[in-house]
Every structure is written in structure tokens, then in C-alpha cells.
Amino acid sequence: MAEYEAAIGLEVHAQLLTKSKMFCSCSADYAGAEPNTRVCPVCLGMPGMLPVINRKAVEFTIMTGMALHCQIPAHTKWDRKNYPYPDLPKGYQISQYDLPLAINGYLAFDVEGERKRVGIRRVHLEEDTGRLYHVEEASLVDFNRSGVPLMEIVSEPDIRSPEEAREYLVQLRMILRYLGVSTADMEAGAFRCDANISVRRQGEEVLGVPVEVKNMNSFRAVKLALEYELVRQSVLLTRGEPIERETRGWVSSENRTVSQRSKEEAHDYRYFPEPDLPPLEVAPAWVAEIGERIPELPEAKRQRFVRDYELSAYDAGVLTADRDIAGFYEQAVEIGTVGETEITPKVISNWVTGELFRLMKEENAGIESVNFSPTALVGLIRLVQQGLINANAGKSVLDEMFRTGQSPEQIVEAKGLAQISEVHALASVIRQVLDDNPKPVREYLEGKKQALGFLVGQVMRATRGKANPKVVNRLLQEALRERS
Amino acid sequence: MKLSRQEVEHIAELAKLGLTDEEVERYQDQLSSILDYVEMLTKLDTKDARPMAHVLPVSNVMRDDHVHASFPRDEILSNAPDTADGCFRVPLVLEESNS
Ligand SMILES: [Zn+2]
């Protein structure tokens, strides 16, 4: 199949995280609500009702456009898209046709070791539909979702492989989550993806016949469906058979796409300006103000982590995939720099991406449900670095912290994993030894490092050899540093 | 300019209307005369007119993102010809929605 290549464009619909709906004040939080308990005459399309624009939804869309390097046109308006199904009671969807909120941007990311840049054609705002449940002989309609703000992000057909498509979605989802504009949860239907894919011989200029693919409910499904289409269309081209311009649905149980024979007319949306909504004038000052609210985005954060913390690109990528994990990590790094033993960002990264991620994965928990603080994590790492407990004990302490939220010191003490009390005892022995031997102390501080051996010997003698020499060594050096 | 038979049938299909042959013919005439009437506008010189989507001199009418109570479901469903399980009951929808 190497001689064929795909041109893929993706359309993503993301529900926005507003409290209320797009054009009325009903709650947009419909998950788990009884059917038709989040509805009013506006979102039910009752005659004579007038929609009023939710400012937050507009700002979220502009913010997303800016994060995707789009132009934000000064004029934007609303249009009606005719829609003949009962899950939108008005008979049309309020959307944006020729003047969307954001245009001409791009999303750049690394995939399979190469830099990829995918054009963003437009970002616009519209309203979600209600939900249909098919029962015997009838359909039931729940309008709780009807009117929830829905942002549509349309890419150019710049994507060349199913893997690139998957990575584009991963990056886009990450950005939406960083911005806090959407949960972007695909399983919950807050992030939906349709694809247009055409196949042509490699090197050919003209795009092939585009086929629309729907019903892909996970990133995996997107990748599999596009792989399937790439093969299907390549085979047709090889045989010299025509590719039909059509809509196909992914059937995950059969691992293939099937033609959805929808009537041609269904695509005749007959857009026209929405007379119930005045246009929006997007002033530069408003755009600037929204721009101020854009946080550091994953790409920039990842580069900063590599630069400032000397992490590998891979580790930085994993740590910045989730904004809250990145935040947790950075707090830990900051705490690691203060205190008697400095903990490097690299060491903290190893603990977070290794042990902490393992525990989170085992318990299927997000960082928000980790019930110990970055301070506690650094406290634990410090115990290990100081040699008070070994790395294996450290892992089991982290296990316990994860389960109980207790502090590492409490756990170590309770489990008798190390000699915390002995350390306290050691500290006073060391103080005594240093006080009693001013000459070797002075020599050490003047640079005669071999004086340390004498002092270690004194401490070992005072403890009758019971102390851990490694620990004694470290604690002695720290105590000496304090006297310098 | 007279609308073709197919054009009227296409419009009827989009509007989910079933028309008899006689109705198709009648609407062919009626819709055509409406279009002819509107056609007069094209005679206007619009060289210096800016494109306009709205006649009212207002823009940026927006509301803050606050939640207000929705309507009681009983009241909402009381207008429906048919209901079941707290939902509106409608004839079986075979085609998938596409939004
Ligand atoms: Zn409502």
C-alpha cells in the first residue's frame, strides 16, 4: 500500500464547560439528570422564544481559536442550519456558516519523530442536539442536551496517516483541557470526531474523492477506521474502480466501515442568517483580554521542562500531558530545592512517572484523587536519598501513602522501616562528637577532607558500631556544612 | 424564471412534504412568481452598500453564564401529543442525526 497516501481532515465537536446552555439559562450539566429536566421553552424551540448568547461560550471559542493560532475576525454572525430530525425541536440548528469566530490557524506537534503542522480551517460555535432513544416502533427524545454549547474545530486535509490523525486528536484534547474549556471526554460524548479521508497515489497533486467517516467513539476507533478506509480505497484504486463520495460509519464490532445510505438531500442544509440573534463585533481589546487568560500550553510547558529541568523529551511529554500532573510535579520540584538535601527535578520526575504513575494506573485514579501533597512526596524521596530507607522500602511507603494519605515519616515509623528515632539519637551523638573535636572539624572545613574519616570513626565508637556508616557519613557532612 | 418540477419536488422533500402532481404544478407557478417578485431587488445598484445580515442596529447582546431553574417536566410534556418514560415519543427515527 506504500504507493498510496491519505489526505485526512478532521472535524471535532467539543462540548464547552459552561454552567448554562448556549442560548438559555438551563443547566448544561445533563449527565445523570432525569430526561427532560434541564429544559425550558427556549431549548425546546417553542414558538416566540428568543435565544440569548452565552458570553462564556463565545469567549471559550475565541480562546481556543487563539490557542490554535487562528485569526479572530472582527465580525461574526449566526446562521440557521436546516435540520429535519426530532432531536432538535426547532427544525434547525443555530450554528455559524460563513463568518465563524476563528479562522486560518494551525496545530503543530511531533509524530513518529517528525514535526507535523496541520492547518485549522475554522473554529465555530453551535448548539448540541437532544438525544434519541430507539424503542420498539418509536423514538424517545430527551432534550437535556439540546442547546449545550458545542464548539466545532475543522482541520484542513493536511493529515497524511491514521497515526497522525490520532496524534492530532491527542494534542487537541490536551489543549482543550489545559484551557479548561471542555472535559474533552470522548466516552462521555464531550469530544466527538468525524473524518474526511481521500486516497491518492503518492506524489499526486489532486485530492481523491473524499469519504466521510462517522461513529468513531475512541481514539483507537479513529485510527482503526482510517486504517481500514486507507486500505479499502487503495484496493479500489488499484482495481481501477471508482470511489464513491459517501458517508460511512465505523462498526467497531466488525472492524470495518459500512456505507450509510443517507439521502442526498440530507446534506442540503440551506443555511441562512439567524434573524433572532444580532451579530457579534469582536473588539481587539476583548480578544486581548481573553488572550491574557490563556495559560502556558502543553507544548511550551514541555519545552520548558526539557530546558529548565533537564528532562528527556519523553519524560517532559508525559509530565505535561495533564495540566494538574504538571502542576503537582512543579510544586514538588520547588519544594525539592529547599531543605537540607536537594532533590533534583530528574529524581522527582523518575518517582512521578515511575512509581506514582504505576499506582495511579493500578487504581485508575487521576492526580486529583492522589491524597498526599507534593511536599509529602519530596519528604519520601528525601528519606530515600538520605539513605534512611532503601529504594524498595521507599516504594512500599509510597504505596501506603497512596492508600492512606499518611505522611512518609508516620509510615516509616509505624512500619519500623527505618531508624528515624535512631537518626534523632545519631544527630545528638554527632553534635557531641563535633563539639568534642574542634581541631578535626576546623581541618575538614579548611579542606582536609580526610578529617571526615576520623569523625566517622568517633561517631561509630560512640554508638558502639550500631549506626549505619553511610548514614553517619551523610549526616556528618550535613552537620559540618552547617558549621562552615 | 420558472422553477422546474424537480426543483419543487426537491424542496418538498427537504420540507418533508408529500405533494400530489397537481400541487407540484400549482407550487411551480406560485413559487416562481414569488421569485420573480424578489428578483426585482437585483435591479438595485448595491455597489456602495455594505453586506448586512441584520436590519437592527444592535450587536453583542449576551448574557452571563448563570444557571436558572428549568421548567417542570410535567408542564413541558403536557403539550406533547405522545410521551413515554419522561420523554417525547415520536415516530421511529431511522436515519442517524448528523450534528
Ligand atoms: Zn433551556
Side-chain angles (χ1 to χ4, degrees):
Chain A
M1 288 304 155
E3 54 183 310
Y4 292 101
E5 71 171 8
I8 301 165
L10 295 178
E11 273 176 29
V12 167
H13 284 92
Q15 283 179 341
L16 294 179
L17 261 177
T18 54
K19 294 189 182 71
S20 65
K21 289 187 180 181
M22 187 62 233
F23 299 115
C24 65
S25 300
C26 289
S27 169
D29 182 15
Y30 62 87
E34 285 289 307
N36 294 303
T37 54
R38 301 281 187 275
V39 292
C40 73
V42 173
C43 53
L44 280 173
M46 297 286 183
M49 291 301 124
L50 287 176
V52 188
I53 300 160
N54 184 334
R55 180 185 290 108
K56 188 102 193 190
V58 173
E59 292 183 344
F60 278 174
T61 305
I62 292 173
M63 190 186 269
T64 304
M66 294 175 80
L68 296 171
H69 313 279
C70 289
Q71 296 160 15
I72 310 297
H75 306 280
T76 174
K77 73 168 174 59
W78 307 86
D79 299 276
R80 288 187 181 181
K81 175 183 180 178
N82 282 285
Y83 181 92
Y85 304 102
D87 51 356
L88 263 183
K90 296 191 295 293
Y92 59 84
Q93 179 187 37
I94 303 179
S95 180
Q96 297 192 284
Y97 181 52
D98 54 342
L99 297 174
L101 277 160
I103 52 170
N104 298 339
Y106 67 88
L107 175 57
F109 52 91
D110 295 322
V111 58
E112 289 169 334
E114 300 213 1
R115 193 69 180 160
K116 179 73 195 177
R117 183 169 154 147
V118 176
I120 303 291
R121 184 177 295 169
R122 56 187 283 153
V123 184
H124 76 249
L125 195 46
E126 58 189 33
E127 55 181 337
D128 208 344
T129 65
R131 283 185 295 176
L132 288 170
Y133 300 97
H134 303 298
V135 293
E136 219 174 307
E137 306 281 289
S139 296
L140 302 182
V141 199
D142 169 14
F143 287 109
N144 282 347
R145 198 180 67 180
S146 167
V148 167
L150 201 58
M151 177 171 66
E152 183 171 334
I153 302 160
V154 183
S155 89
E156 298 290 349
D158 293 343
I159 297 163
R160 290 286 168 269
S161 69
E163 181 53 32
E164 283 183 12
R166 204 192 70 88
E167 194 55 29
Y168 168 88
L169 293 174
V170 167
Q171 297 297 325
L172 182 60
R173 181 177 66 175
M174 212 186 283
I175 288 172
L176 297 187
R177 287 181 173 171
Y178 262 65
L179 294 174
V181 300
S182 176
T183 63
D185 184 342
M186 213 164 181
E187 271 165 38
F191 189 93
R192 305 166 217 157
C193 175
D194 298 329
N196 282 293
I197 171 170
S198 64
V199 173
R200 62 182 165 191
R201 262 176 220 285
Q202 225 149 37
E204 237 168 73
E205 290 286 310
V206 189
L207 291 178
V209 177
V211 171
E212 189 177 18
V213 187
K214 289 175 173 284
N215 293 345
M216 300 171 292
N217 298 322
S218 66
F219 286 179
R220 195 178 129 76
V222 170
K223 191 161 176 260
L224 291 175
L226 291 175
E227 279 168 357
Y228 178 86
E229 272 303 302
L230 179 53
V231 172
R232 187 186 70 87
Q233 295 183 31
S234 302
V235 167
L236 285 175
L237 288 176
T238 310
R239 290 188 193 145
E241 289 174 32
I243 290 166
E244 240 179 288
R245 181 186 291 260
E246 60 179 346
T247 298
R248 301 178 69 87
W250 172 246
V251 184
S252 58
S253 55
E254 298 171 22
N255 265 316
R256 66 192 187 104
T257 64
V258 295
S259 183
Q260 294 181 331
R261 297 240 170 260
S262 59
K263 293 189 188 85
E264 237 171 78
E265 286 86 357
H267 289 292
D268 194 343
Y269 296 128
R270 293 158 297 146
Y271 285 95
F272 65 96
E274 164 60 277
D276 286 347
L277 289 170
L280 290 179
E281 306 297 333
V282 184
W286 190 24
V287 176
E289 188 196 309
I290 294 167
E292 305 255 303
R293 285 181 242 156
I294 296 179
E296 183 184 34
L297 293 173
E299 173 84 7
K301 204 184 275 289
R302 190 172 60 78
Q303 287 170 0
R304 183 167 59 79
F305 277 23
V306 170
R307 193 178 59 234
D308 292 0
Y309 301 145
E310 295 169 345
L311 302 181
S312 69
Y314 177 81
D315 285 347
V318 182
L319 285 168
T320 54
D322 179 300
R323 189 180 166 185
D324 293 332
I325 288 173
F328 184 96
Y329 170 74
E330 286 211 273
Q331 279 183 51
V333 167
E334 200 170 308
I335 294 157
T337 59
V338 291
E340 67 270 37
T341 313
E342 193 184 328
I343 311 293
T344 65
K346 178 69 193 157
V347 168
I348 295 170
S349 164
N350 290 344
W351 277 87
V352 172
T353 60
E355 291 308 304
L356 181 55
F357 278 10
R358 178 180 61 77
L359 288 166
M360 283 165 63
K361 200 171 171 190
E362 277 172 16
E363 301 295 319
N364 198 15
I367 191 77
E368 70 286 343
S369 51
V370 169
N371 58 1
F372 57 82
S373 64
T375 313
L377 176 66
V378 174
L380 167 67
I381 300 173
R382 217 163 241 147
L383 293 180
V384 176
Q385 292 251 306
Q386 290 172 339
L388 300 178
I389 53 176
N390 64 29
N392 269 335
K395 285 175 192 176
S396 68
V397 171
L398 190 71
D399 250 63
E400 197 69 15
M401 287 163 68
F402 191 82
R403 260 168 266 289
T404 64
Q406 282 182 306
S407 76
E409 291 81 7
Q410 277 174 321
I411 296 164
V412 166
E413 183 108 43
K415 292 197 145 191
L417 282 170
Q419 313 77 354
I420 283 280
S421 48
E422 193 186 308
V423 168
H424 289 303
L426 261 183
S428 67
V429 172
I430 285 169
R431 207 177 308 122
Q432 195 62 49
V433 167
L434 295 183
D435 287 346
D436 291 348
N437 298 282
K439 191 163 166 269
V441 168
R442 199 172 52 245
E443 286 171 358
Y444 175 83
L445 292 176
E446 282 166 6
K448 277 180 104 181
K449 296 298 175 202
Q450 58 269 44
L452 187 66
F454 171 78
L455 294 167
V456 171
Q458 291 302 303
V459 175
M460 294 308 288
R461 216 170 77 178
T463 58
R464 292 190 200 99
K466 275 190 195 156
N468 176 342
K470 203 178 144 204
V471 176
V472 169
N473 214 298
R474 192 181 298 271
L475 291 176
L476 251 178
Q477 288 189 43
E478 279 174 16
L480 282 163
R481 210 175 302 141
E482 275 165 29
R483 294 187 180 218
S484 65
Chain B
M1 188 195 79
K2 189 161 163 136
L3 280 177
S4 72
R5 205 188 157 78
Q6 286 94 324
E7 282 169 320
V8 173
E9 280 167 350
H10 176 65
I11 294 163
E13 168 68 33
L14 289 173
K16 307 282 172 212
L17 294 173
L19 301 183
T20 64
D21 282 357
E22 186 241 345
E23 282 169 326
V24 170
E25 231 158 88
R26 188 175 351 134
Y27 292 133
Q28 229 178 311
D29 285 335
Q30 290 186 354
L31 291 172
S32 298
S33 72
I34 292 170
L35 287 181
D36 286 344
Y37 182 70
V38 175
E39 187 79 5
M40 280 199 297
L41 285 172
T42 61
K43 295 199 177 77
L44 279 174
D45 180 6
T46 56
K47 200 166 49 120
D48 297 323
R50 279 180 49 196
M52 180 175 73
H54 284 265
V55 290
L56 296 175
V58 287
S59 63
N60 295 25
V61 181
M62 288 182 272
R63 42 173 264 277
D64 290 332
D65 183 27
H66 295 310
V67 173
H68 294 237
S70 293
F71 264 49
R73 182 162 75 183
D74 292 348
E75 214 172 306
I76 285 290
L77 293 177
S78 64
N79 286 314
D82 197 2
T83 65
D85 300 332
C87 291
F88 294 83
R89 193 169 182 276
V90 299
L92 195 60
V93 180
L94 290 173
E95 277 187 275
E96 275 299 304
S97 68
N98 59 357
S99 146

